[in-house]
Amino acid sequence: MSLSVVLAVGLDSWLLTLQASVWRSAGYIVVSAFSIREAIDDFMAGDFDLVLMCESIPVEDQERLISQIRKSGSRTPVMNVTQFHENAHALAGHALEVESMALFTGMEDLLASQAGNPSAMRAAYARPS
């Protein structure tokens, strides 16, 4: 099984910890960042398949994070996980509903479209057969 490495970013530690736990239980490798600075540092030091931004991040911080990711030359997809913001995809390019089935289906669809660009971190976290 190929594992996807996700950078989860949020300012609400309780909400982000809960979301990361759900993603881990679904088989994702999750690195959590509790500030934009931490997210930028983690992203620059890692190799991620997907960046998920929690709705707790203000728009200007989302813009800053996405700008840094794109300046690095990365084509890693960035998604907003939101419950309320109708135009969340306008900034990140993709939005996921908090509802669990929609969340995982959306993540799987996006990651499948990126299959030609596998993460180098996957091998480091691969589970033995």
Side-chain angles (χ1 to χ4, degrees):
M1 174 181 158
S2 152
L3 301 175
S4 295
V5 183
V6 176
L7 176 60
V9 185
L11 304 183
D12 181 324
S13 62
W14 181 86
L15 182 59
L16 184 61
T17 300
L18 178 64
Q19 289 176 351
S21 177
V22 170
W23 297 322
R24 283 186 187 101
S25 71
Y28 295 93
I29 298 164
V30 181
V31 174
S32 297
F34 297 95
S35 72
I36 296 305
R37 179 77 262 155
E38 183 181 2
I40 291 169
D41 291 346
D42 287 348
F43 186 84
M44 296 305 174
D47 181 16
F48 297 93
D49 296 303
L50 180 64
V51 175
L52 293 174
M53 294 187 300
C54 180
E55 63 189 341
S56 64
I57 304 172
V59 171
E60 58 274 3
D61 287 340
Q62 291 181 28
E63 291 172 345
R64 188 169 136 223
L65 176 58
I66 292 168
S67 174
Q68 289 296 315
I69 289 170
R70 297 302 169 234
K71 281 181 186 175
S72 76
S74 174
R75 297 181 52 82
T76 301
V78 178
M79 299 183 99
N80 282 336
V81 178
T82 184
Q83 197 171 46
F84 306 109
H85 196 274
E86 289 180 11
N87 296 318
H89 68 283
L91 180 61
H94 308 279
L96 293 172
E97 297 174 27
V98 172
E99 196 176 321
S100 60
M101 288 312 294
L103 175 70
F104 291 119
T105 301
M107 286 175 66
E108 287 297 320
D109 289 347
L110 183 61
L111 288 167
S113 73
Q114 299 289 323
N117 187 18
S119 168
M121 285 178 75
R122 264 189 219 145
Y125 292 96
R127 297 179 186 138
S129 302

